[in-house]
Amino acid sequence: MSKKNKTLKEILDLILYENPATQDEIAQRLGISRRYVTQLIQPLIKEGTIKRAYSIDMKSYEKIVESLGEYVTPNNVSGNVLINDMLFNMAKHVHAQLEMSFDAILESDENKANNALEMDYATNNMVEKIRTSVETIVSINQHSEFSKSVLYNEVAYDLERIGDYCGHIAKFVINDVYEVGNDILRKLKKMYKTAQKMLRLSMSAFLEGRTDIKDDIMELEESIHILQAKSINLIATQMAESSFDEKERSNYFIYLFRVIKAFERIGDISVEIKDVAIEFHDNIPRPTTPRTFRLN
């Protein structure tokens, strides 16, 4: 894109999202002369793409930007870039929260478990900021596609749910007095690594439009369910060999089941994020049939 076209694109975006009152304001904000602003936008004012009150006809905007050599997608308009950055940071935080939670189990570290639980406060604040930011962008840009904008909120809510399950993992250390046996721990390590990878890939699908990796995510989901079944069978064997006269021992198995379920649910939620990504980028609606009743 030439320098002239790049400047015109910056002017159009400024008008579209920040509603400048005058050409002087446009020039000042972009660090160019008012004369240059007039030169670039005068033809668009004459043809009606830019209105006198400095608003833009959205259909004309998309055609012009494409003619400048830049394809318009939901990811490269300024408001959506802001939300994408917020979601990226939230996903990074939730990754760290999951890591802190599992490290607490690996090291039997109650301090790390408490730190992981405290991280959930930030996760909850992040989802609220994204929600209010989406509302603001929709109210400012009357041309925004509301149905797609709210999908940002869905992804943020999914990340919050994963944060909640991280809390279930961390609470195992706080609530229990037994360390996890090596056999179970090996299975948990595999579930943890699989869940982390699923979360990373699903967010990549949404933020980068990489819906082609959907099959990779589904293969990982299958593997995490297999690991879940193996872990449950191993725990069932240990339960059969244990005496339930000890309340603490019975609680240990209950809390351990919750950890395994947490990893499985993180995987399921990652698949849900992948489904949102496909709807967002490929315009393919998510199926309404519950996933447990689908044939594939």
Side-chain angles (χ1 to χ4, degrees), residues 189-231:
K189 285 179 180 178
K190 291 180 180 179
M191 293 189 78
Y192 162 73
K193 290 179 180 178
T194 304
Q196 280 278 39
K197 188 172 183 180
M198 289 185 72
L199 175 56
R200 183 171 62 254
L201 289 178
S202 65
M203 289 305 300
S204 183
F206 184 81
L207 294 174
E208 302 170 27
R210 295 184 59 202
T211 55
D212 57 297
I213 59 177
K214 59 184 179 182
D215 291 337
D216 296 334
I217 296 172
M218 297 310 296
E219 287 178 8
L220 289 168
E221 185 202 29
E222 183 178 355
S223 68
I224 206 168
H225 283 301
I226 292 172
L227 286 167
Q228 179 194 26
K230 289 181 177 179
S231 299

Side-chain angles (χ1 to χ4, degrees), residues 278-292:
I278 292 173
E279 180 171 333
F280 188 88
H281 294 285
D282 299 343
N283 295 312
I284 300 175
R286 285 163 288 170
T288 56
T289 306
R291 293 180 59 244
T292 52

Side-chain angles (χ1 to χ4, degrees), residues 183-184 187 225-241 253 257 260:
D183 290 342
I184 292 292
K187 296 289 188 298
H225 283 301
I226 292 172
L227 286 167
Q228 179 194 26
K230 289 181 177 179
S231 299
I232 289 175
N233 288 337
L234 188 54
I235 294 174
T237 301
Q238 291 183 1
M239 289 174 66
E241 297 171 351
F253 289 120
F257 274 123
I260 293 169

Side-chain angles (χ1 to χ4, degrees), residues 157-176:
Y157 175 63
D158 285 338
L159 289 173
E160 181 191 29
R161 291 163 63 202
I162 290 175
D164 290 340
Y165 283 108
C166 291
H168 292 185
I169 296 169
K171 285 178 182 177
F172 174 86
V173 179
I174 296 171
N175 292 333
D176 201 63

